[in-house]
Amino acid sequence: MLILLPPSESKESPARGAPLDLTTRPAALRAPTEAVLTALVGLCTESPAAAREVLNLTPNQADLIDVNAGLRHAPTAPAWQVYTGVLYGALDFRSLRGAAKRRGLADVWVMSALFGVVPLGEAIPAYRLSAGTSLPGLPPLRQVWHAGIDAAVRDADPPVILDLRSGPYASLWPVPKDLRTRTVVGKIWQAGPEGERVAVSHHNKAYKGRVVRSLLQSRRRPRTPQALLASLIEGGWVAGLDDGRLDIVIDPPT
């Protein structure tokens, strides 16, 4: 199973750790990572004022320009420690033990504008770069990343993919036609007062984190979309499959 997540805008800067080492990355991801890293570090080092505009930062976020400028020498930590925010708080990866933690390190990948895809165990620094950013000297990030991400996914060859990415990050690697039969896109719904379904917005990220935690703790190892659905139902979720979409329905707030 492969679970694809969006990153969090908020990140925890590691206090200590080895600097970034791109030679440990999958071969298909090294060149695009170097290209994006070079463009981002160069922009933030040479043109801080322009970087603030390109990265859409407020004056109170000026420190993030310095964070990006120092990426090549900044301490790194496993991605699950770096990414914070609502989804990752609900996942609470730190508290997982044994098989659930090992499964998460292998099966959960974070989609990243800087790294393409990042397994939860890969060591990275904190950074600021969004999928929709246009970096000077580079084509759109979806063009930079598509081939490398595609190669990484195909090399992993997961029997089933749960896609929980947000729109901008889904654009970095749209699921190819030949992989769609093994892919389900997760959608969180809330049950309305008369049985209708309403899309969840405010708590969407939190529920995605809880869904991932539930799957990691399950004794099942899903190899088909139907088995993935069964694992969620066994975990107490109300869910269904509809033409490649995994609908998860939560109760309305009381």
Side-chain angles (χ1 to χ4, degrees), residues 45 69 91 103 118 127 163 172 209 211 227-228 235:
T45 301
L91 171 57
R103 189 179 299 178
V118 181
Y127 64 94
D163 188 352
L172 296 182
V211 164
L228 177 60

Side-chain angles (χ1 to χ4, degrees), residues 1 17 30-31 51 66 78 80 83 91 104 114 120 124 145 148 169 175 180 193 195 202 212 230 238:
M1 177 174 63
R30 290 175 200 164
D66 294 333
W80 64 264
Y83 292 114
L91 171 57
L114 177 55
L120 285 185
I124 61 171
W145 282 119
Y169 289 93
V175 177
R180 289 178 189 170
H202 182 65
V212 175
V238 176

Side-chain angles (χ1 to χ4, degrees), residues 64-100:
L64 295 176
I65 298 174
D66 294 333
V67 168
N68 283 346
L71 281 173
R72 290 191 182 277
H73 308 290
T76 63
W80 64 264
Q81 295 182 22
V82 174
Y83 292 114
T84 59
V86 175
L87 189 157
Y88 294 91
L91 171 57
D92 192 17
F93 190 79
R94 185 183 301 272
S95 69
L96 292 176
R97 297 290 183 269

Side-chain angles (χ1 to χ4, degrees), residues 77-245:
W80 64 264
Q81 295 182 22
V82 174
Y83 292 114
T84 59
V86 175
L87 189 157
Y88 294 91
L91 171 57
D92 192 17
F93 190 79
R94 185 183 301 272
S95 69
L96 292 176
R97 297 290 183 269
K101 192 160 195 171
R102 292 192 296 272
R103 189 179 299 178
L105 293 173
D107 294 351
V108 181
W109 292 8
V110 182
M111 196 69 47
S112 166
L114 177 55
F115 297 106
V117 285
V118 181
L120 285 185
E122 183 173 352
I124 61 171
Y127 64 94
R128 176 58 177 260
L129 183 65
S130 300
T133 303
S134 296
L135 288 172
L138 288 183
L141 291 176
R142 64 180 182 275
Q143 295 181 26
V144 175
W145 282 119
H146 183 272
I149 295 173
D150 193 67
V153 173
R154 292 181 185 279
D155 185 59
D157 194 25
V160 61
I161 301 171
L162 174 57
D163 188 352
L164 296 174
R165 298 174 295 169
S166 55
Y169 289 93
S171 72
L172 296 182
W173 181 70
V175 177
K177 289 183 178 179
D178 65 311
L179 296 182
R180 289 178 189 170
T181 57
R182 68 173 83 174
T183 302
V184 292
V185 178
K187 178 73 173 177
I188 308 294
W189 301 92
Q190 181 177 295
E194 298 182 7
E196 75 277 16
R197 293 179 179 178
V198 180
V200 175
S201 56
H202 182 65
H203 297 294
N204 181 60
K205 294 178 182 178
Y207 278 101
K208 285 182 177 179
R210 293 170 193 167
V211 164
V212 175
R213 184 178 179 87
S214 177
L215 289 169
L216 296 180
Q217 292 179 314
S218 172
R219 291 174 297 177
R220 293 177 179 263
R221 295 301 303 269
R223 298 188 63 82
T224 66
Q226 291 73 22
L228 177 60
L229 173 64
S231 181
L232 284 174
I233 293 173
E234 187 178 80
W237 295 91
V238 176
L241 283 173
D242 182 8
D243 192 26
R245 190 182 68 220

